[in-house]
Amino acid sequence: MTTFALHDGVTLEPAASEATSSRPGTGTVRVTDTATGIDALVAAPDLPRFLLDNALARPPRRSATPCPWGRARRTRAEPPGCRSACEATVLALVRAGGPLVLVSGLALSGGFVLLHAPPRWVAAAAFAPVLVLLVTIAHEAGHWVALRVLVDGRAGAILVDWRTCAVLHGDLAHPQDRWVAAAGPAAGLVAGIGSIAVTHFDPIGAWTSAVLVAVNLLGLLPVTADGQRVFRSRP
């Protein structure tokens, strides 16, 4: 079983002996959290997902152990009640993506300097990675805000590593899952259109914004993971 690092104030206590069950690992655990007032009885097999859904613990930084959400990976799950979904998304993505944005901006602007491009183009090239980060923040925050509005004000956790950026949550009813899936691309689309309005005078910024708009439009079509959740026909 995967070992979790619990957030401060979270305690786990066995509420039912496994000896009373016909199968091991099927007991009940009482989960309490002083920060949010959570006091719930959770079946032992459902405990990892419950802890992640409510951002009560962090999965290990390195592990080959299969978890309910895939292999354990680096995550920026924030304790529930401490920050809003938008604030937690901004902090997680800036922490994880800030250095990459800085390096990319310097590399792009340096390339334009070597090409003797006008200063305005150099500045636009440096700002292009920032646009990508801002629209990504809007996309993931859209998922998380919809999840908290439609499901639970404490639900979800943000996962950010070098391969993945996603809001994690448990199984949802079909209508809820559809709206949560659509909220990300919709928010990213609005942010992308807004960035076009701001950078329309600059070809580099406008082109970057147009690509971001196209990516989020694809997110509403069944060719992407979000789109498949939006258009899935089964309940």
Side-chain angles (χ1 to χ4, degrees):
M1 178 178 178
T2 303
T3 301
F4 286 84
L6 301 176
H7 290 302
D8 294 339
V10 179
T11 58
L12 307 179
E13 297 179 353
S17 173
E18 292 188 1
T20 63
S21 174
S22 59
R23 293 182 300 165
T26 56
T28 305
V29 179
R30 180 178 292 277
V31 182
T32 57
D33 177 30
T34 56
T36 61
I38 290 177
D39 186 356
L41 294 176
V42 182
D46 299 330
L47 182 60
R49 184 178 292 276
F50 181 85
L51 292 174
L52 182 69
D53 291 349
N54 292 279
L56 299 178
R58 298 175 188 271
R61 287 184 176 271
R62 292 186 180 91
S63 174
T65 306
C67 300
W69 55 92
R71 291 185 179 275
R73 292 170 290 187
R74 192 181 306 272
T75 181
R76 296 289 186 182
E78 298 291 344
C82 293
R83 294 190 177 97
S84 69
C86 290
E87 184 182 0
T89 305
V90 170
L91 290 174
L93 283 168
V94 169
R95 287 172 184 166
L100 179 61
V101 167
L102 180 61
V103 171
S104 300
L106 290 174
L108 288 171
S109 59
F112 275 84
V113 168
L114 292 176
L115 293 173
H116 305 288
R120 181 169 61 89
W121 284 37
V122 174
F127 187 68
V130 177
L131 283 178
V132 176
L133 179 63
L134 292 176
V135 174
T136 303
I137 287 172
H139 181 111
E140 300 304 334
H143 283 310
W144 205 351
V145 169
L147 177 68
R148 289 193 165 183
V149 169
L150 296 174
V151 182
D152 190 317
R154 299 184 301 265
I158 181 79
L159 171 70
V160 182
D161 65 14
W162 67 275
R163 295 175 301 175
T164 306
C165 177
V167 171
L168 305 179
H169 56 80
D171 295 334
L172 303 176
H174 180 46
Q176 292 176 330
D177 188 50
R178 171 176 287 176
W179 285 109
V180 170
L189 189 60
V190 171
I193 293 173
S195 66
I196 288 178
V198 172
T199 62
H200 67 278
F201 59 87
D202 171 66
I204 297 175
W207 182 85
T208 303
S209 300
V211 171
L212 293 171
V213 167
V215 168
N216 281 280
L217 276 174
L218 286 175
L220 293 172
L221 300 176
V223 295
T224 63
D226 285 337
Q228 289 169 4
R229 289 168 55 199
V230 171
F231 283 95
R232 70 174 185 174
S233 57
R234 63 182 179 85

